[in-house]
Amino acid sequence: MTSSRGATERAAARGLLSRLNTTLPQPLAAEWQAAFHGVPRHAFLPDVVWLGDGLTPCDRRETPGVWLRAAYDDAPVVTQVNDGDDPGPGGDRWPSCSASAPGIVFRMLAMLDLEGGERVMEVGTGTGWNAGLLAHRLGGSLVTTVEVDADLAARARASLASIGVHPHVVTGDGGLVEASGLDRIVATCSVRRVPRRWVTGLAPGGVILTPWESPWLCYGLLRLTARADGCASGRFHPHAAFMLMRGQRTSLRVFRDVVRDGQTPAGSTTPLSPWEVAGEDWAAGFSLGLQLPDVWWAWHHGPDVAGVRSRLWVATTDATSWAAVDDDGTAGAPFTVWQHGPRRLWREVEAAYHWWTGAGRPGPSDFGMTVTPEGRHTPWLRQPGHPVPRHG
């Protein structure tokens, strides 16, 4: 039985590797292919994972075939919900840890440009699979992985030991860990601000690679290189979306935290469609996220308001200012705007959108970021001498 299971797992792994070598920009380097085989992904998944948009539990003991297909699909697998407190069938589940899609895992590993001998810190151990791949490639003594969740850290430590790789597994907040002389820092969670200690912990020429998120849009990878002046600077890269680092989470809801009884909003109109800024155009959303780093949005479809089909809410993360833009379902402008608070947020959104269109509608890879040792973030367009305007 064990031999049969092992053969099935190896066949599934070979199938995934074949797909990766076809779909990635370049086939996996020999060192990463060896790590792929030496650090099997299924060994890092718990017996129960959650699949699909509905986060349906999948138990390996009950449906081993479905579980194994999830383990070797090129897709993320949710491995923890609600920070480890599953509310049960009738509760509201939300993902709090996942095994990232293998394609993005190996794309990020390639972006680290490892040659051997580098000292690496990973932030966000999760299942431990990424740390295992790094340790297989570099040796466990050169890899430190940091996980804020003690239960996840313990599980990852056990999974790593089970296949004979031993990076240093640290339980703690990856944004606060003191480090120095690191050659690489790689995060498997997104950040809204690069922690200052990551910048000061890099050796000259060292690299930070982290998924990026703004309150407006979770999207992209940021690759920074340490400069001689102590700053770290580099470009954004597309096609990535990760869970936010726990220490940077916000939990805001329009009708709980923002809109309150007794507020009297100011009314106006706008020619700018709310769908242009909060629709399917990720390039627009990415640019607005850099220009409005403390602003988020939420759609309310079918509100109980006469003549309104959809309403876009825009608010600051401190919940002091908000705007609502109404779409009545007819074609074209104008759209009704309501605004409250010390900032006129929709004016800021309009200014940010028009700057983006005036700049030629640049995409995420046209932007970059410079971070100082003191933690100051300066986004720029195409080169560091052209800063992105900030509003608010």
Side-chain angles (χ1 to χ4, degrees):
M1 182 70 174
T2 302
S3 175
S4 175
R5 174 183 286 183
T8 302
E9 291 165 346
R10 288 191 293 273
R14 287 195 298 271
L16 173 59
L17 180 59
S18 177
R19 293 193 298 276
L20 292 175
N21 283 333
T22 300
T23 58
L24 288 172
Q26 296 179 347
L28 267 63
E31 297 86 352
W32 291 124
Q33 293 206 37
F36 177 89
H37 290 299
V39 186
R41 190 179 190 230
H42 72 269
F44 291 84
L45 300 186
D47 285 338
V48 177
V49 296
W50 289 265
L51 304 180
D53 293 338
L55 295 178
T56 303
C58 173
D59 193 320
R60 180 182 191 179
R61 295 155 295 194
E62 297 174 0
T63 54
V66 175
W67 186 94
L68 187 62
R69 282 194 296 275
Y72 285 105
D73 191 9
D74 188 13
V77 179
V78 174
T79 57
Q80 186 197 65
V81 295
N82 299 57
D83 289 340
D85 187 17
D86 187 349
D92 180 23
R93 292 191 178 109
W94 46 273
S96 53
C97 181
S98 68
S100 301
I104 187 61
V105 167
F106 283 102
R107 186 160 71 90
M108 290 178 66
L109 291 173
M111 289 175 70
L112 292 177
D113 288 335
L114 299 176
E115 296 181 357
E118 292 90 352
R119 293 182 57 201
V120 178
M121 182 175 77
E122 178 199 39
V123 176
T125 309
T127 66
W129 187 50
N130 198 69
L133 294 168
L134 284 165
H136 190 284
R137 171 74 174 84
L138 297 172
S141 64
L142 293 176
V143 178
T144 298
T145 180
V146 185
E147 173 56 55
V148 70
D149 186 310
D151 291 338
L152 290 178
R155 185 189 302 163
R157 197 176 286 113
S159 297
L160 290 160
S162 73
I163 63 164
V165 293
H166 300 280
H168 304 290
V169 181
V170 176
T171 303
D173 186 333
L176 300 178
V177 171
E178 292 281 4
S180 63
L182 292 169
D183 300 298
R184 303 288 188 273
I185 297 174
V186 58
T188 60
C189 52
S190 63
V191 298
R192 292 178 175 175
R193 295 187 63 81
V194 177
R196 181 185 62 81
R197 292 183 182 181
W198 293 5
V199 177
T200 59
L202 281 179
V207 169
I208 295 170
L209 180 62
T210 181
W212 180 258
E213 175 174 325
S214 69
W216 197 274
L217 180 68
C218 175
Y219 185 76
L221 295 169
L222 177 59
R223 189 182 189 276
L224 304 173
T225 301
R227 302 189 320 207
D229 62 0
C231 297
S233 189
R235 293 187 173 276
F236 288 97
H237 301 263
H239 310 312
F242 282 69
M243 296 177 192
L244 186 63
M245 175 185 279
R246 292 193 188 185
Q248 296 187 12
R249 285 179 183 171
T250 55
S251 177
L252 292 167
R253 297 182 183 178
V254 170
F255 298 113
R256 184 192 68 190
D257 305 307
V258 178
V259 178
R260 304 184 185 280
D261 293 340
Q263 294 177 338
T264 304
S268 61
T269 60
T270 180
L272 178 61
S273 168
W275 300 97
E276 292 290 332
V277 299
E280 298 298 321
D281 193 331
W282 284 31
F286 188 85
S287 173
L288 264 65
L290 292 179
Q291 296 179 71
L292 301 162
D294 64 342
V295 179
W296 58 284
W297 59 266
W299 279 106
H300 187 183
H301 299 297
D304 188 17
V305 180
V308 178
R309 178 178 293 182
S310 295
R311 172 171 283 178
L312 176 67
W313 292 95
V314 179
T316 53
T317 52
D318 65 4
T320 60
S321 297
W322 59 263
V325 185
D326 292 340
D327 179 8
D328 62 8
T330 61
F335 301 88
T336 300
V337 179
W338 304 100
Q339 299 186 86
H340 177 79
R343 290 166 61 178
R344 288 296 179 256
L345 280 189
W346 192 251
R347 292 180 188 171
E348 295 181 16
V349 171
E350 288 177 319
Y353 180 79
H354 291 312
W355 177 86
W356 174 70
T357 58
R361 298 175 177 262
S365 58
D366 292 311
F367 291 95
M369 180 76 76
T370 299
V371 185
T372 69
E374 297 77 28
R376 180 182 177 184
H377 288 56
T378 302
W380 40 265
L381 176 62
R382 298 190 177 93
Q383 54 184 322
H386 292 85
V388 172
R390 297 289 189 103
H391 302 275

